[in-house]
Amino acid sequence: MSRFSLQDLVSIIDARAASGGATSYTRKLLDKGPEHCAKKFGEEAVETVIAAVGASRDHLIAESADVLFHLLVLLKSRGVRLEEVEATLQSRTGMSGLEEKAARKRD
């Protein structure tokens, strides 16, 4: 069984963004612009936080999937590639989280 990855989801989002179909939720989000995509991501993030403090593990998993999808759509709306985010994460792995956070405060 092959494993589904965030890169697979990026490819799906890219394909739907390129489509002109009015039936694509992804295309509708992108057509409304980055501000709308950011708002939708924020709504999904709040729902994920609420699910995290709730009792249902399955609900948290479902909301986490929603938040990842909407984050990737938001990045697409701003022309940011997942690889760029991954590169930033990779650059942070050479130091502890506390060191990395302190370095950001100095910048």
Side-chain angles (χ1 to χ4, degrees):
M1 178 178 187
S2 65
R3 191 164 175 228
F4 186 80
S5 71
L6 288 180
Q7 189 55 56
D8 294 331
L9 184 54
V10 166
S11 296
I12 292 167
I13 290 168
D14 287 345
R16 291 182 181 166
S19 75
T23 59
S24 170
Y25 177 64
T26 302
R27 183 72 257 162
K28 286 182 182 183
L29 287 171
L30 292 168
D31 285 346
K32 291 181 180 180
E35 295 81 10
H36 181 79
C37 293
K39 180 179 178 236
K40 192 63 183 158
F41 170 70
E43 290 170 6
E44 296 299 338
V46 169
E47 290 174 9
T48 303
V49 169
I50 292 167
V53 298
S56 172
R57 184 175 184 276
D58 290 340
H59 188 211
L60 175 58
I61 291 168
E63 292 299 340
S64 295
D66 289 347
V67 82
L68 288 172
F69 167 77
H70 284 89
L71 174 59
L72 293 174
V73 171
L74 173 58
L75 293 175
K76 175 78 174 171
S77 76
R78 294 298 310 248
V80 176
R81 295 181 348 269
L82 178 60
E83 294 83 5
E84 294 173 277
V85 177
E86 291 172 331
T88 297
L89 288 169
Q90 183 177 18
S91 73
R92 294 178 181 177
T93 61
M95 63 179 82
S96 77
L98 295 175
E99 291 171 326
E100 188 276 328
K101 190 171 184 174
R104 279 192 279 154
K105 287 182 181 178
R106 289 192 301 262
D107 292 342

